[in-house]
Amino acid sequence: MFFHEAYAGVLPIAATDAAVSWNALYDFLIWISIFFFVLVVGAMIYFAVKYRNRPGHKAVYETGSHLLEAIWIGVPTVLLLIIFGWGYHVYREMKQAPSDAYEIKVVGKQWLWTFLYDNGTTTVGELYVPVNKPVKLLMTSQDVLHGFFIPNFRVKQDVVPGMYSSVWFEATVPGKHQVFCTEYCGTSHSGMLAQVIALEDKDWNDWLRGKKIAIDKIPNANRDPNEVSAADTTTVSQAAATSAPVSLVDQGKVIYNKMACATCHSTDGATKAGPTFKGLFGSKVTLTDGTVVTADENYIRESIELPNAKIVKGYAPQMPTFKGLINENDMTAVISFIKAQK
Amino acid sequence: MSNHSATGVVHGDNYLNHTPGIWSWLTTLDHKRIGVMYLFTVLSFFFVGGVFALLIRMSLFYSGHHFIDANTYNKFFTYHGAIMVFLVIIPAIPAALGNFLVPIMVGAKDVAFPRLNLFSYYIYCAGAIFATAALFMRGADTGWTFYTPYSIQTSTTVILVLTGAFIAGFSSILTGLNFIVTVHKLRAPGMSWSRLPLFIWAIYATSIIQVLATPVLAITLMLLILERVVGIGIFDPALGGDPILFQHFFWFYSHPAVYIMILPAMGIISEVIPVFSRKPIFGYKAIAYSSFGIALIAFIVWGHHMFVSGQSELANFVFSLITMFVAIPTGVKTFSWVWTMARGSIHFNAPMLYAFGFIELFTIGGLTGVFLATLAIDVHLTQTYFVVAHFHYVMVGGTLMGLLAGLHFWFPKMWGKMYDEKASVIASTLIILGFNVTFFPQFILGLQGMPRRYWDYLPEFQTLNQVSTVGSWLIGAGFLYTAWYLGKALMSGEKAPSNPWQSTTLEWQTSSPPPFENFLETPIVSHWAYEYLPEGGVPQNAPANPATA
């Protein structure tokens, strides 16, 4: 359809079956809306021109018509009930997780997402899932409300402290899918992003067994809808198979981005929610109680594991602890990276 | 009317010059002067809220580069929302135009409780002072919705804003009460309910919502203040409270509040279209009852703001179903307005241009509302720019277009001056065009997934954000121009006749500006509000004629 072509680029790709159902309902709503918009605004313009005030033209006296009123009450009522029923039907499809869905736990906190897998693996900012298998996320928040939103899957759910909420999906397109936080959560709300990394069966099993994946090389599923085809699957697999040795600082840079340090700590001197890393190492840091400490390796390590132990003057005590989320190798790498930010 | 015999009235005496001096204004009990004071106060806050809107849009011009930092941005969108909702659109039409017009249109000398009316104005000012005081302290960064537990934890001075909204709420309740009693008790002889102008029906329905729903907001805000100050543990999950409960309480008021904002604007459109079509309103009863239909449904759809909040699927089912029915009375009004124009004699004066703008924008706002009422569709679209665009099309496209139509319609009546009609054509074009350029791209951004309340965004969203920002400059220019030509008209406008638009309702049957106590003689009403015969309109207070009765 011509029209469908015209707005195909407007919507994100439909990377689940539920998203395909969503698109069909959306199409229906768009057509209905265009019909009524043209009807109302078209009639308004037509009447304004045809019955414009001019010499010799007089208005008629008319106060109403029960027939017309019955039509413009009856027709919309029927259409609205159809829309409601269809909307609820697709909603059920989006909400009812199959009983065999693979479950992953999600914890949101200001301002990062952590994902906990049954085998004990924990990731930050990257949610690894298999394609063509139902996945259920069991989510909670450590502090305030967050919203977990994957546009390509058309799923969204608030993440609430003190309770669990869930979403489920079955990704049909491998690659990266953007995740946004949609419930306003403070300073770095717009930086609270993540990626779904949808992997083919074999790569998924390799990843579960601890194989490293070159995350930079995995294509964005949304980047070009025409290219997301069988050809791309191999790209994801190839990327998954890539692993070249990298320097300690570069490894640290990966951790810096992956653990969402970048959300609050810049490397160019810009002030974000936390102090910049530029020129941090070896500098004298003034704390809220007025004491001055030197930013050495142990200071940085403590700030990562026990962020509230020493608060830099001018900043709020709001960083979550990374204890247990970051292993010794990664800790060493990220400290090397911070050291390199001169 | 002994004190207003024809000889007793000084020539040119009107409510503006009836008593001199600023003190006579500050202590006035005249509903018209109170309406004018509300109008200027509300317009001042509209300017402040508008500046914040322009700053927000400026900051969003580039992805990755922002001239204000994240904390400042979060405060600015909070100020923009809170000021525009609590201090501008809720009071704009009822408190400013409603105060000026309700007594005159029902044929009364004043509202039922003039002292209470003045008190309401000062309560509103007190609320506004509290809310704006926060701007000069540590601000507020919760968004106008104050969602818990963030609003409990933030270090900003959110209590001041909450207190301000709490206080301003009482102004809204008392104004609503005043109008309800005025419409019931002070209608002129012969002004039966079925002869009332539809603006009065709309204000009456609005007043009922104000009186019934605002107390719930007051309780909610009070509980939130207590939660912050003493930690009562109602909303804070750390103390065993439920943050979603806050959303239920908040929207139980704030959804009906949406209709407090839009119903009076619909009332204005129902006045403007028949006058400038020189034809009776089509379906008077249907429009009047649909105001009540909307007011009633308003109370039972709050949960549609919470489809992804974690409330039960059953609740979502029920709220989605009921919300669909909002579209029916809204559709009835829209179709009736358009049909009123059919076979009329259309005059393209400024109020009518804004009525056209209203229909165009409100139709888009209404239709996109159906998208959001549809459960599955809402899951993807809620909390994105689609919602931002939708409620701006309804609130700005609806309420602001209604307000602008009303301001231009009643300007000659309020000031006794005419404005430059050519200037109003340019300004309305700028505003309506600018509005579409600003907000239509936001629908697409939302469909693509861009969340709202984002200080920074992904590079692929940049082009549409830039288009939107350019649109905001057009709106800004349109409003500055409007302020200029209306200001000029106030100073040196041509003298307005008492009924420049040949309208039938009572406010046009007295002089412009109206005298103190509105009418020299109590009007006797013999006709309904829309007796537009092909040969001309019949004023409501014209003597009854057996041929047309």
Side-chain angles (χ1 to χ4, degrees), chain B residues 133-151:
Chain B
L135 269 62
F136 301 100
M137 302 174 74
R138 272 168 293 134
D141 69 340
T142 58
W144 78 278
T145 48
F146 307 116
Y147 270 20
T148 55
Y150 186 74
S151 56

Side-chain angles (χ1 to χ4, degrees), chain B residues 111-130:
Chain B
V111 293
F113 309 113
R115 255 169 240 285
L116 193 64
N117 198 20
L118 182 65
F119 184 50
S120 306
Y121 173 73
Y122 285 114
I123 295 176
Y124 166 80
C125 290
I129 288 169
F130 267 92

Side-chain angles (χ1 to χ4, degrees), chain B residues 173-191:
Chain B
I173 295 170
L174 295 176
T175 301
L177 191 72
N178 224 332
F179 289 161
I180 291 173
V181 179
T182 304
V183 174
H184 272 276
K185 306 304 282 186
L186 299 186
R187 280 173 286 129
M191 181 63 94

Side-chain angles (χ1 to χ4, degrees), chain B residues 385-457:
Chain B
Y385 263 85
F386 191 93
V387 171
V388 176
H390 160 71
F391 71 71
H392 280 88
Y393 265 88
V394 180
M395 299 288 84
V396 185
T399 312
L400 208 57
M401 288 298 121
L403 178 67
L404 283 164
L407 278 180
H408 286 83
F409 182 50
W410 285 296
F411 189 91
K413 182 53 62 184
M414 295 179 91
W415 310 108
K417 303 271 178 69
M418 296 303 287
Y419 47 84
D420 178 357
E421 289 244 29
K422 276 204 190 92
S424 71
V425 173
I426 297 169
S428 61
T429 308
L430 270 176
I431 293 173
I432 296 170
L433 183 76
F435 182 86
N436 283 298
V437 174
T438 307
F439 291 102
F440 203 85
Q442 296 185 8
F443 282 124
I444 302 171
L445 285 169
L447 285 164
Q448 291 177 344
M450 179 172 163
R452 62 190 290 203
R453 296 173 168 175
Y454 262 33
W455 167 66
D456 193 13
Y457 53 84

Side-chain angles (χ1 to χ4, degrees), chain A residues 10 12 22 26 33 51 53 57 59-63 83 91 156-158 181-184 187 189-190, chain B residues 71 74 141 153 278-279 283 308 316 343-344 346 371 374 376 379-380 382-383 447-448 453-454 456 531-532:
Chain A
V10 168
W22 190 98
Y26 173 82
S33 299
Y51 302 110
N53 172 48
H57 171 72
V60 302
Y61 185 89
E62 161 189 55
T63 57
I83 293 167
Y91 176 72
K156 182 184 290 126
Q157 175 62 51
D158 277 7
C181 175
T182 50
E183 193 67 87
Y184 172 69
T187 309
H189 170 50
S190 62
Chain B
N71 283 324
N74 293 343
D141 69 340
Q153 296 172 11
R278 304 289 192 267
K279 185 167 167 279
V308 302
N316 283 347
R343 299 190 287 156
I346 314 295
F371 283 69
T374 308
V379 170
H380 178 70
T382 189
Q383 300 167 0
L447 285 164
Q448 291 177 344
R453 296 173 168 175
Y454 262 33
D456 193 13
E531 193 70 351
Y532 291 97

Side-chain angles (χ1 to χ4, degrees), chain A residues 107-114 124-125 142-146 181 183-194 257-265 272-274 316-320 322, chain B residues 70-71 74 141 150 153:
Chain A
V107 179
K109 52 185 105 172
Q110 289 166 319
W111 291 279
L112 51 91
W113 296 102
T114 56
V124 176
Q142 191 171 293
D143 35 51
V144 297
L145 296 179
H146 300 286
C181 175
E183 193 67 87
Y184 172 69
C185 58
T187 309
S188 295
H189 170 50
S190 62
M192 190 165 161
L193 307 174
N257 287 315
K258 191 166 141 173
M259 291 285 171
C261 311
T263 308
C264 303
H265 301 280
K272 289 182 162 182
Q318 56 197 6
M319 175 170 158
F322 284 78
Chain B
N71 283 324
N74 293 343
D141 69 340
Y150 186 74
Q153 296 172 11

Side-chain angles (χ1 to χ4, degrees), chain A residues 210-264:
Chain A
K211 188 159 176 279
K212 290 244 189 223
I213 286 183
I215 209 72
D216 295 347
K217 303 214 169 52
I218 295 202
N220 187 332
N222 222 11
R223 199 58 80 185
D224 190 328
N226 299 324
E227 280 176 25
V228 180
S229 60
D232 246 51
T233 351
T234 50
T235 323
V236 177
S237 275
Q238 281 163 0
T242 315
S243 72
V246 283
S247 75
L248 201 56
V249 171
D250 283 348
Q251 282 180 40
K253 185 175 183 178
V254 171
I255 305 296
Y256 167 77
N257 287 315
K258 191 166 141 173
M259 291 285 171
C261 311
T263 308
C264 303

